[in-house]
Every structure is written in structure tokens, then in C-alpha cells.
């Protein structure tokens, strides 16, 4: 999860990119410009439901979920 698409693109195109599922990448539409409050209270808060759905889907697919 990141609010900047460029960061996610660099991970996907890197040497470890193929080990990640593309549908598990969650990113915002705009950068928060290193502004913690904007990322926490506005941009990031809008993505929380999507993030929880991705995490729940992966947890449900696990045979032996560990904390």
C-alpha cells in the first residue's frame, strides 16, 4: 500500500516484482508530498476499506494463518 503510483511501479518492475500478486497492490491516485496528516486523515483514510478487503481476501485463502 502506498499513495504514490511511482513507488509501486518501481517495486513491480524490480527484481522481486514477480513474487507479488498485482491485485494486492493498493495505491492512491495522487501524491501526498511527504505530508503525514494528508496521508493519514484524507488520502489514506479513503483507501482503508480497499486495503482491508485485500488483507481479508488473502487471510481467507491461507491454510495456516499466523500472527
Amino acid at each position: 500500500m502506498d499513495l504514490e503510483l511511482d513507488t509501486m511501479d518501481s517495486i513491480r518492475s524490480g527484481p522481486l516484482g514477480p513474487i507479488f500478486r498485482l491485485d494486492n497492490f493498493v495505491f492512491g491516485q495522487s501524491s501526498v508530498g511527504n505530508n503525514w496528516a494528508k496521508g493519514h486523515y484524507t488520502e489514506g483514510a479513503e483507501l482503508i476499506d480497499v486495503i482491508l478487503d485485500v488483507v481479508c481476501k488473502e487471510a481467507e485463502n491461507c491454510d495456516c494463518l499466523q500472527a
Side-chain angles (χ1 to χ4, degrees), residues 31-59:
S31 173
V32 294
N34 290 329
N35 185 339
W36 181 87
K38 185 177 178 186
H40 183 74
Y41 291 110
T42 58
E43 304 282 333
E46 294 172 0
L47 293 175
I48 193 68
D49 290 331
V50 176
I51 295 165
L52 290 176
D53 288 342
V54 169
V55 171
C56 287
K57 181 179 70 172
E58 285 299 312

Side-chain angles (χ1 to χ4, degrees), residues 8-30:
M8 303 303 262
D9 285 339
S10 66
I11 292 172
R12 282 188 261 190
S13 64
L16 297 178
I19 67 171
F20 297 103
R21 293 180 48 189
L22 295 179
D23 57 340
N24 286 346
F25 281 83
V26 179
F27 50 88
Q29 298 300 320
S30 64

